[in-house]
PDB file of all heavy atoms in Angstrom:
ATOM      1  N   ASN A 125      17.423   5.356  20.165  1.00  0.00           N
ATOM      2  CA  ASN A 125      16.606   4.274  19.607  1.00  0.00           C
ATOM      3  C   ASN A 125      15.849   3.647  20.772  1.00  0.00           C
ATOM      4  O   ASN A 125      16.453   2.964  21.607  1.00  0.00           O
ATOM      5  CB  ASN A 125      17.464   3.221  18.915  1.00  0.00           C
ATOM      6  CG  ASN A 125      18.240   3.755  17.720  1.00  0.00           C
ATOM      7  OD1 ASN A 125      19.428   3.489  17.587  1.00  0.00           O
ATOM      8  ND2 ASN A 125      17.588   4.501  16.845  1.00  0.00           N
ATOM      9  N   THR A 126      14.535   3.876  20.842  1.00  0.00           N
ATOM     10  CA  THR A 126      13.781   3.348  21.976  1.00  0.00           C
ATOM     11  C   THR A 126      13.814   1.825  22.011  1.00  0.00           C
ATOM     12  O   THR A 126      13.718   1.224  23.086  1.00  0.00           O
ATOM     13  CB  THR A 126      12.311   3.819  21.954  1.00  0.00           C
ATOM     14  OG1 THR A 126      11.685   3.399  20.733  1.00  0.00           O
ATOM     15  CG2 THR A 126      12.235   5.334  22.086  1.00  0.00           C
ATOM     16  N   HIS A 127      13.950   1.211  20.859  1.00  0.00           N
ATOM     17  CA  HIS A 127      14.238  -0.215  20.740  1.00  0.00           C
ATOM     18  C   HIS A 127      14.734  -0.432  19.317  1.00  0.00           C
ATOM     19  O   HIS A 127      14.814   0.515  18.531  1.00  0.00           O
ATOM     20  CB  HIS A 127      13.024  -1.085  21.078  1.00  0.00           C
ATOM     21  CG  HIS A 127      11.817  -0.854  20.218  1.00  0.00           C
ATOM     22  ND1 HIS A 127      11.093   0.324  20.239  1.00  0.00           N
ATOM     23  CD2 HIS A 127      11.183  -1.656  19.309  1.00  0.00           C
ATOM     24  CE1 HIS A 127      10.080   0.239  19.389  1.00  0.00           C
ATOM     25  NE2 HIS A 127      10.127  -0.946  18.798  1.00  0.00           N
ATOM     26  N   LEU A 128      15.108  -1.665  18.991  1.00  0.00           N
ATOM     27  CA  LEU A 128      15.826  -1.889  17.736  1.00  0.00           C
ATOM     28  C   LEU A 128      14.998  -2.612  16.682  1.00  0.00           C
ATOM     29  O   LEU A 128      15.515  -3.393  15.889  1.00  0.00           O
ATOM     30  CB  LEU A 128      17.133  -2.646  18.015  1.00  0.00           C
ATOM     31  CG  LEU A 128      18.090  -1.958  18.994  1.00  0.00           C
ATOM     32  CD1 LEU A 128      19.409  -2.716  19.078  1.00  0.00           C
ATOM     33  CD2 LEU A 128      18.340  -0.499  18.621  1.00  0.00           C
ATOM     34  N   TYR A 153      24.808   7.551  19.604  1.00  0.00           N
ATOM     35  CA  TYR A 153      23.584   6.757  19.470  1.00  0.00           C
ATOM     36  C   TYR A 153      23.366   5.993  20.773  1.00  0.00           C
ATOM     37  O   TYR A 153      24.213   5.178  21.173  1.00  0.00           O
ATOM     38  CB  TYR A 153      23.713   5.768  18.318  1.00  0.00           C
ATOM     39  CG  TYR A 153      23.716   6.360  16.922  1.00  0.00           C
ATOM     40  CD1 TYR A 153      24.789   7.125  16.448  1.00  0.00           C
ATOM     41  CD2 TYR A 153      22.653   6.125  16.052  1.00  0.00           C
ATOM     42  CE1 TYR A 153      24.795   7.637  15.153  1.00  0.00           C
ATOM     43  CE2 TYR A 153      22.647   6.633  14.755  1.00  0.00           C
ATOM     44  CZ  TYR A 153      23.721   7.396  14.309  1.00  0.00           C
ATOM     45  OH  TYR A 153      23.722   7.890  13.036  1.00  0.00           O
ATOM     46  N   LEU A 154      22.236   6.240  21.429  1.00  0.00           N
ATOM     47  CA  LEU A 154      21.921   5.590  22.691  1.00  0.00           C
ATOM     48  C   LEU A 154      21.021   4.386  22.436  1.00  0.00           C
ATOM     49  O   LEU A 154      19.919   4.524  21.908  1.00  0.00           O
ATOM     50  CB  LEU A 154      21.229   6.573  23.631  1.00  0.00           C
ATOM     51  CG  LEU A 154      22.031   7.819  24.013  1.00  0.00           C
ATOM     52  CD1 LEU A 154      21.196   8.733  24.914  1.00  0.00           C
ATOM     53  CD2 LEU A 154      23.329   7.443  24.703  1.00  0.00           C
ATOM     54  N   MET A 155      21.501   3.201  22.830  1.00  0.00           N
ATOM     55  CA  MET A 155      20.742   1.961  22.696  1.00  0.00           C
ATOM     56  C   MET A 155      20.830   1.205  24.017  1.00  0.00           C
ATOM     57  O   MET A 155      21.879   1.207  24.672  1.00  0.00           O
ATOM     58  CB  MET A 155      21.336   1.070  21.598  1.00  0.00           C
ATOM     59  CG  MET A 155      21.453   1.721  20.247  1.00  0.00           C
ATOM     60  SD  MET A 155      22.282   0.620  19.046  1.00  0.00           S
ATOM     61  CE  MET A 155      22.427   1.724  17.632  1.00  0.00           C
ATOM     62  N   SER A 156      19.743   0.555  24.400  1.00  0.00           N
ATOM     63  CA  SER A 156      19.815  -0.267  25.609  1.00  0.00           C
ATOM     64  C   SER A 156      20.627  -1.521  25.308  1.00  0.00           C
ATOM     65  O   SER A 156      20.512  -2.120  24.234  1.00  0.00           O
ATOM     66  CB  SER A 156      18.417  -0.638  26.098  1.00  0.00           C
ATOM     67  OG  SER A 156      17.826  -1.604  25.259  1.00  0.00           O
ATOM     68  N   ARG A 157      21.445  -1.890  26.272  1.00  0.00           N
ATOM     69  CA  ARG A 157      22.268  -3.092  26.079  1.00  0.00           C
ATOM     70  C   ARG A 157      21.393  -4.326  25.901  1.00  0.00           C
ATOM     71  O   ARG A 157      21.711  -5.228  25.115  1.00  0.00           O
ATOM     72  CB  ARG A 157      23.212  -3.279  27.262  1.00  0.00           C
ATOM     73  CG  ARG A 157      24.168  -4.467  27.084  1.00  0.00           C
ATOM     74  CD  ARG A 157      25.129  -4.606  28.237  1.00  0.00           C
ATOM     75  NE  ARG A 157      26.046  -3.465  28.309  1.00  0.00           N
ATOM     76  CZ  ARG A 157      27.168  -3.355  27.587  1.00  0.00           C
ATOM     77  NH1 ARG A 157      27.489  -4.313  26.721  1.00  0.00           N
ATOM     78  NH2 ARG A 157      27.950  -2.314  27.732  1.00  0.00           N
ATOM     79  N   ALA A 158      20.267  -4.380  26.607  1.00  0.00           N
ATOM     80  CA  ALA A 158      19.398  -5.552  26.521  1.00  0.00           C
ATOM     81  C   ALA A 158      18.882  -5.752  25.101  1.00  0.00           C
ATOM     82  O   ALA A 158      18.835  -6.879  24.598  1.00  0.00           O
ATOM     83  CB  ALA A 158      18.233  -5.414  27.499  1.00  0.00           C
ATOM     84  N   ASP A 159      18.485  -4.670  24.436  1.00  0.00           N
ATOM     85  CA  ASP A 159      18.001  -4.818  23.067  1.00  0.00           C
ATOM     86  C   ASP A 159      19.151  -5.090  22.104  1.00  0.00           C
ATOM     87  O   ASP A 159      19.005  -5.882  21.162  1.00  0.00           O
ATOM     88  CB  ASP A 159      17.227  -3.568  22.629  1.00  0.00           C
ATOM     89  CG  ASP A 159      15.772  -3.892  22.299  1.00  0.00           C
ATOM     90  OD1 ASP A 159      15.196  -4.726  23.014  1.00  0.00           O
ATOM     91  OD2 ASP A 159      15.227  -3.326  21.339  1.00  0.00           O
ATOM     92  N   PHE A 160      20.276  -4.428  22.317  1.00  0.00           N
ATOM     93  CA  PHE A 160      21.444  -4.667  21.457  1.00  0.00           C
ATOM     94  C   PHE A 160      21.824  -6.147  21.498  1.00  0.00           C
ATOM     95  O   PHE A 160      22.054  -6.770  20.448  1.00  0.00           O
ATOM     96  CB  PHE A 160      22.621  -3.801  21.906  1.00  0.00           C
ATOM     97  CG  PHE A 160      23.838  -3.911  21.034  1.00  0.00           C
ATOM     98  CD1 PHE A 160      24.005  -3.080  19.933  1.00  0.00           C
ATOM     99  CD2 PHE A 160      24.831  -4.857  21.304  1.00  0.00           C
ATOM    100  CE1 PHE A 160      25.133  -3.181  19.118  1.00  0.00           C
ATOM    101  CE2 PHE A 160      25.955  -4.965  20.496  1.00  0.00           C
ATOM    102  CZ  PHE A 160      26.099  -4.124  19.401  1.00  0.00           C
ATOM    103  N   ASP A 161      21.868  -6.719  22.675  1.00  0.00           N
ATOM    104  CA  ASP A 161      22.244  -8.131  22.798  1.00  0.00           C
ATOM    105  C   ASP A 161      21.170  -9.051  22.233  1.00  0.00           C
ATOM    106  O   ASP A 161      21.475 -10.072  21.607  1.00  0.00           O
ATOM    107  CB  ASP A 161      22.512  -8.478  24.262  1.00  0.00           C
ATOM    108  CG  ASP A 161      23.783  -7.837  24.806  1.00  0.00           C
ATOM    109  OD1 ASP A 161      24.610  -7.376  23.986  1.00  0.00           O
ATOM    110  OD2 ASP A 161      23.941  -7.785  26.037  1.00  0.00           O
ATOM    111  N   PHE A 162      19.898  -8.692  22.424  1.00  0.00           N
ATOM    112  CA  PHE A 162      18.809  -9.545  21.962  1.00  0.00           C
ATOM    113  C   PHE A 162      18.774  -9.620  20.438  1.00  0.00           C
ATOM    114  O   PHE A 162      18.556 -10.693  19.860  1.00  0.00           O
ATOM    115  CB  PHE A 162      17.474  -9.021  22.482  1.00  0.00           C
ATOM    116  CG  PHE A 162      16.287  -9.854  22.089  1.00  0.00           C
ATOM    117  CD1 PHE A 162      16.031 -11.066  22.709  1.00  0.00           C
ATOM    118  CD2 PHE A 162      15.414  -9.433  21.092  1.00  0.00           C
ATOM    119  CE1 PHE A 162      14.937 -11.842  22.349  1.00  0.00           C
ATOM    120  CE2 PHE A 162      14.320 -10.199  20.730  1.00  0.00           C
ATOM    121  CZ  PHE A 162      14.076 -11.406  21.359  1.00  0.00           C
ATOM    122  N   TRP A 163      19.001  -8.484  19.761  1.00  0.00           N
ATOM    123  CA  TRP A 163      18.878  -8.455  18.308  1.00  0.00           C
ATOM    124  C   TRP A 163      20.183  -8.751  17.592  1.00  0.00           C
ATOM    125  O   TRP A 163      20.191  -8.882  16.361  1.00  0.00           O
ATOM    126  CB  TRP A 163      18.327  -7.109  17.854  1.00  0.00           C
ATOM    127  CG  TRP A 163      16.916  -6.907  18.297  1.00  0.00           C
ATOM    128  CD1 TRP A 163      16.464  -6.098  19.288  1.00  0.00           C
ATOM    129  CD2 TRP A 163      15.760  -7.586  17.778  1.00  0.00           C
ATOM    130  NE1 TRP A 163      15.090  -6.219  19.418  1.00  0.00           N
ATOM    131  CE2 TRP A 163      14.636  -7.115  18.507  1.00  0.00           C
ATOM    132  CE3 TRP A 163      15.565  -8.536  16.769  1.00  0.00           C
ATOM    133  CZ2 TRP A 163      13.347  -7.573  18.255  1.00  0.00           C
ATOM    134  CZ3 TRP A 163      14.282  -8.984  16.520  1.00  0.00           C
ATOM    135  CH2 TRP A 163      13.193  -8.503  17.253  1.00  0.00           C
ATOM    136  N   ASN A 164      21.268  -8.870  18.316  1.00  0.00           N
ATOM    137  CA  ASN A 164      22.547  -9.213  17.699  1.00  0.00           C
ATOM    138  C   ASN A 164      22.484 -10.650  17.179  1.00  0.00           C
ATOM    139  O   ASN A 164      22.318 -11.593  17.956  1.00  0.00           O
ATOM    140  CB  ASN A 164      23.665  -9.079  18.725  1.00  0.00           C
ATOM    141  CG  ASN A 164      25.045  -9.250  18.122  1.00  0.00           C
ATOM    142  OD1 ASN A 164      25.194  -9.786  17.024  1.00  0.00           O
ATOM    143  ND2 ASN A 164      26.059  -8.804  18.824  1.00  0.00           N
ATOM    144  N   ASN A 167      24.070 -13.756  18.848  1.00  0.00           N
ATOM    145  CA  ASN A 167      23.546 -14.372  20.071  1.00  0.00           C
ATOM    146  C   ASN A 167      22.439 -15.373  19.809  1.00  0.00           C
ATOM    147  O   ASN A 167      21.969 -16.045  20.736  1.00  0.00           O
ATOM    148  CB  ASN A 167      23.065 -13.281  21.034  1.00  0.00           C
ATOM    149  CG  ASN A 167      24.210 -12.417  21.519  1.00  0.00           C
ATOM    150  OD1 ASN A 167      25.327 -12.895  21.702  1.00  0.00           O
ATOM    151  ND2 ASN A 167      23.956 -11.127  21.738  1.00  0.00           N
ATOM    152  N   HIS A 169      19.243 -15.409  19.291  1.00  0.00           N
ATOM    153  CA  HIS A 169      17.925 -15.402  19.918  1.00  0.00           C
ATOM    154  C   HIS A 169      16.859 -15.681  18.859  1.00  0.00           C
ATOM    155  O   HIS A 169      17.061 -15.450  17.668  1.00  0.00           O
ATOM    156  CB  HIS A 169      17.658 -14.058  20.587  1.00  0.00           C
ATOM    157  CG  HIS A 169      18.529 -13.800  21.780  1.00  0.00           C
ATOM    158  ND1 HIS A 169      18.461 -14.559  22.928  1.00  0.00           N
ATOM    159  CD2 HIS A 169      19.489 -12.881  22.007  1.00  0.00           C
ATOM    160  CE1 HIS A 169      19.332 -14.121  23.809  1.00  0.00           C
ATOM    161  NE2 HIS A 169      19.982 -13.103  23.267  1.00  0.00           N
ATOM    162  N   PHE A 181      19.845  -5.335  12.027  1.00  0.00           N
ATOM    163  CA  PHE A 181      21.041  -5.167  12.858  1.00  0.00           C
ATOM    164  C   PHE A 181      22.260  -4.913  11.982  1.00  0.00           C
ATOM    165  O   PHE A 181      23.080  -4.027  12.252  1.00  0.00           O
ATOM    166  CB  PHE A 181      21.264  -6.411  13.721  1.00  0.00           C
ATOM    167  CG  PHE A 181      22.290  -6.231  14.810  1.00  0.00           C
ATOM    168  CD1 PHE A 181      21.909  -5.811  16.074  1.00  0.00           C
ATOM    169  CD2 PHE A 181      23.635  -6.476  14.570  1.00  0.00           C
ATOM    170  CE1 PHE A 181      22.852  -5.635  17.085  1.00  0.00           C
ATOM    171  CE2 PHE A 181      24.581  -6.300  15.557  1.00  0.00           C
ATOM    172  CZ  PHE A 181      24.192  -5.876  16.825  1.00  0.00           C
ATOM    173  N   ARG A 189      27.847   1.073  15.576  1.00  0.00           N
ATOM    174  CA  ARG A 189      28.677   0.476  16.631  1.00  0.00           C
ATOM    175  C   ARG A 189      30.124   0.408  16.171  1.00  0.00           C
ATOM    176  O   ARG A 189      31.057   0.770  16.905  1.00  0.00           O
ATOM    177  CB  ARG A 189      28.144  -0.911  16.972  1.00  0.00           C
ATOM    178  CG  ARG A 189      28.978  -1.714  17.953  1.00  0.00           C
ATOM    179  CD  ARG A 189      28.947  -1.162  19.348  1.00  0.00           C
ATOM    180  NE  ARG A 189      29.388  -2.177  20.311  1.00  0.00           N
ATOM    181  CZ  ARG A 189      29.623  -1.931  21.587  1.00  0.00           C
ATOM    182  NH1 ARG A 189      29.467  -0.708  22.069  1.00  0.00           N
ATOM    183  NH2 ARG A 189      29.998  -2.899  22.400  1.00  0.00           N
ATOM    184  N   VAL A 194      28.166   4.314  19.356  1.00  0.00           N
ATOM    185  CA  VAL A 194      27.088   3.758  20.170  1.00  0.00           C
ATOM    186  C   VAL A 194      27.469   3.773  21.641  1.00  0.00           C
ATOM    187  O   VAL A 194      28.575   3.357  22.014  1.00  0.00           O
ATOM    188  CB  VAL A 194      26.751   2.317  19.731  1.00  0.00           C
ATOM    189  CG1 VAL A 194      25.792   1.656  20.715  1.00  0.00           C
ATOM    190  CG2 VAL A 194      26.155   2.322  18.328  1.00  0.00           C
ATOM    191  N   LEU A 195      26.547   4.234  22.478  1.00  0.00           N
ATOM    192  CA  LEU A 195      26.672   4.102  23.928  1.00  0.00           C
ATOM    193  C   LEU A 195      25.579   3.141  24.373  1.00  0.00           C
ATOM    194  O   LEU A 195      24.386   3.417  24.191  1.00  0.00           O
ATOM    195  CB  LEU A 195      26.520   5.456  24.616  1.00  0.00           C
ATOM    196  CG  LEU A 195      26.837   5.516  26.122  1.00  0.00           C
ATOM    197  CD1 LEU A 195      27.185   6.936  26.539  1.00  0.00           C
ATOM    198  CD2 LEU A 195      25.667   5.011  26.979  1.00  0.00           C
ATOM    199  N   LEU A 196      25.995   2.009  24.926  1.00  0.00           N
ATOM    200  CA  LEU A 196      25.045   1.028  25.437  1.00  0.00           C
ATOM    201  C   LEU A 196      24.804   1.306  26.922  1.00  0.00           C
ATOM    202  O   LEU A 196      25.737   1.358  27.711  1.00  0.00           O
ATOM    203  CB  LEU A 196      25.584  -0.393  25.255  1.00  0.00           C
ATOM    204  CG  LEU A 196      25.823  -0.854  23.813  1.00  0.00           C
ATOM    205  CD1 LEU A 196      26.405  -2.266  23.802  1.00  0.00           C
ATOM    206  CD2 LEU A 196      24.538  -0.802  23.004  1.00  0.00           C
ATOM    207  N   TRP A 197      23.538   1.493  27.282  1.00  0.00           N
ATOM    208  CA  TRP A 197      23.202   1.773  28.670  1.00  0.00           C
ATOM    209  C   TRP A 197      22.369   0.623  29.216  1.00  0.00           C
ATOM    210  O   TRP A 197      21.838  -0.183  28.461  1.00  0.00           O
ATOM    211  CB  TRP A 197      22.463   3.108  28.787  1.00  0.00           C
ATOM    212  CG  TRP A 197      21.200   3.202  27.985  1.00  0.00           C
ATOM    213  CD1 TRP A 197      21.073   3.526  26.665  1.00  0.00           C
ATOM    214  CD2 TRP A 197      19.885   2.933  28.455  1.00  0.00           C
ATOM    215  NE1 TRP A 197      19.754   3.486  26.287  1.00  0.00           N
ATOM    216  CE2 TRP A 197      19.001   3.136  27.360  1.00  0.00           C
ATOM    217  CE3 TRP A 197      19.347   2.568  29.686  1.00  0.00           C
ATOM    218  CZ2 TRP A 197      17.619   2.962  27.471  1.00  0.00           C
ATOM    219  CZ3 TRP A 197      17.971   2.395  29.812  1.00  0.00           C
ATOM    220  CH2 TRP A 197      17.130   2.589  28.700  1.00  0.00           C
ATOM    221  N   GLU A 198      22.251   0.568  30.541  1.00  0.00           N
ATOM    222  CA  GLU A 198      21.586  -0.598  31.146  1.00  0.00           C
ATOM    223  C   GLU A 198      20.309  -0.220  31.892  1.00  0.00           C
ATOM    224  O   GLU A 198      19.257  -0.143  31.279  1.00  0.00           O
ATOM    225  CB  GLU A 198      22.590  -1.363  32.000  1.00  0.00           C
ATOM    226  CG  GLU A 198      23.743  -1.887  31.125  1.00  0.00           C
ATOM    227  CD  GLU A 198      24.670  -2.862  31.818  1.00  0.00           C
ATOM    228  OE1 GLU A 198      24.260  -3.472  32.818  1.00  0.00           O
ATOM    229  OE2 GLU A 198      25.819  -3.015  31.344  1.00  0.00           O
ATOM    230  N   GLU A 199      20.350   0.072  33.163  1.00  0.00           N
ATOM    231  CA  GLU A 199      19.114   0.317  33.901  1.00  0.00           C
ATOM    232  C   GLU A 199      18.476   1.659  33.557  1.00  0.00           C
ATOM    233  O   GLU A 199      17.261   1.790  33.517  1.00  0.00           O
ATOM    234  CB  GLU A 199      19.380   0.234  35.405  1.00  0.00           C
ATOM    235  CG  GLU A 199      19.761  -1.163  35.884  1.00  0.00           C
ATOM    236  CD  GLU A 199      18.699  -2.199  35.539  1.00  0.00           C
ATOM    237  OE1 GLU A 199      17.502  -1.903  35.725  1.00  0.00           O
ATOM    238  OE2 GLU A 199      19.067  -3.285  35.065  1.00  0.00           O
ATOM    239  N   GLY A 200      19.292   2.682  33.333  1.00  0.00           N
ATOM    240  CA  GLY A 200      18.783   4.007  33.011  1.00  0.00           C
ATOM    241  C   GLY A 200      19.929   4.887  32.559  1.00  0.00           C
ATOM    242  O   GLY A 200      21.107   4.549  32.748  1.00  0.00           O
ATOM    243  N   HIS A 201      19.576   6.013  31.971  1.00  0.00           N
ATOM    244  CA  HIS A 201      20.617   6.922  31.482  1.00  0.00           C
ATOM    245  C   HIS A 201      20.104   8.353  31.529  1.00  0.00           C
ATOM    246  O   HIS A 201      19.096   8.682  30.887  1.00  0.00           O
ATOM    247  CB  HIS A 201      21.013   6.561  30.051  1.00  0.00           C
ATOM    248  CG  HIS A 201      22.072   7.446  29.476  1.00  0.00           C
ATOM    249  ND1 HIS A 201      23.404   7.343  29.819  1.00  0.00           N
ATOM    250  CD2 HIS A 201      21.990   8.465  28.588  1.00  0.00           C
ATOM    251  CE1 HIS A 201      24.097   8.253  29.161  1.00  0.00           C
ATOM    252  NE2 HIS A 201      23.261   8.961  28.405  1.00  0.00           N
ATOM    253  N   LEU A 211      14.472   1.810  31.263  1.00  0.00           N
ATOM    254  CA  LEU A 211      14.012   0.572  30.655  1.00  0.00           C
ATOM    255  C   LEU A 211      12.506   0.423  30.845  1.00  0.00           C
ATOM    256  O   LEU A 211      11.957   0.776  31.891  1.00  0.00           O
ATOM    257  CB  LEU A 211      14.728  -0.629  31.273  1.00  0.00           C
ATOM    258  CG  LEU A 211      16.157  -0.895  30.802  1.00  0.00           C
ATOM    259  CD1 LEU A 211      16.725  -2.097  31.553  1.00  0.00           C
ATOM    260  CD2 LEU A 211      16.205  -1.149  29.301  1.00  0.00           C
ATOM    261  N   PRO A 217      12.860  -6.932  24.858  1.00  0.00           N
ATOM    262  CA  PRO A 217      13.525  -7.032  26.167  1.00  0.00           C
ATOM    263  C   PRO A 217      14.177  -5.734  26.621  1.00  0.00           C
ATOM    264  O   PRO A 217      14.276  -5.482  27.822  1.00  0.00           O
ATOM    265  CB  PRO A 217      14.577  -8.123  25.935  1.00  0.00           C
ATOM    266  CG  PRO A 217      14.018  -8.953  24.837  1.00  0.00           C
ATOM    267  CD  PRO A 217      13.316  -7.986  23.934  1.00  0.00           C
ATOM    268  N   GLY A 218      14.621  -4.909  25.668  1.00  0.00           N
ATOM    269  CA  GLY A 218      15.299  -3.672  26.033  1.00  0.00           C
ATOM    270  C   GLY A 218      14.551  -2.428  25.629  1.00  0.00           C
ATOM    271  O   GLY A 218      15.149  -1.350  25.496  1.00  0.00           O
ATOM    272  N   SER A 219      13.235  -2.525  25.424  1.00  0.00           N
ATOM    273  CA  SER A 219      12.456  -1.327  25.112  1.00  0.00           C
ATOM    274  C   SER A 219      12.653  -0.282  26.196  1.00  0.00           C
ATOM    275  O   SER A 219      12.760  -0.606  27.386  1.00  0.00           O
ATOM    276  CB  SER A 219      10.969  -1.660  24.997  1.00  0.00           C
ATOM    277  OG  SER A 219      10.677  -2.299  23.776  1.00  0.00           O
ATOM    278  N   SER A 220      12.678   0.982  25.780  1.00  0.00           N
ATOM    279  CA  SER A 220      12.916   2.051  26.740  1.00  0.00           C
ATOM    280  C   SER A 220      11.922   3.181  26.525  1.00  0.00           C
ATOM    281  O   SER A 220      11.269   3.268  25.480  1.00  0.00           O
ATOM    282  CB  SER A 220      14.339   2.595  26.584  1.00  0.00           C
ATOM    283  OG  SER A 220      14.540   3.140  25.294  1.00  0.00           O
TER     284      SER A 220
END
Side-chain angles (χ1 to χ4, degrees):
N125 297 133
T126 59
H127 60 293
L128 302 186
Y153 290 69
L154 299 178
M155 304 176 186
S156 73
R157 184 178 295 277
D159 242 38
F160 184 89
D161 290 344
F162 181 75
W163 293 106
N164 187 342
N167 295 326
H169 292 295
F181 192 91
R189 174 69 162 171
V194 171
L195 189 157
L196 297 178
W197 58 276
E198 298 190 22
E199 294 303 316
H201 180 76
L211 282 178
S219 284
S220 61

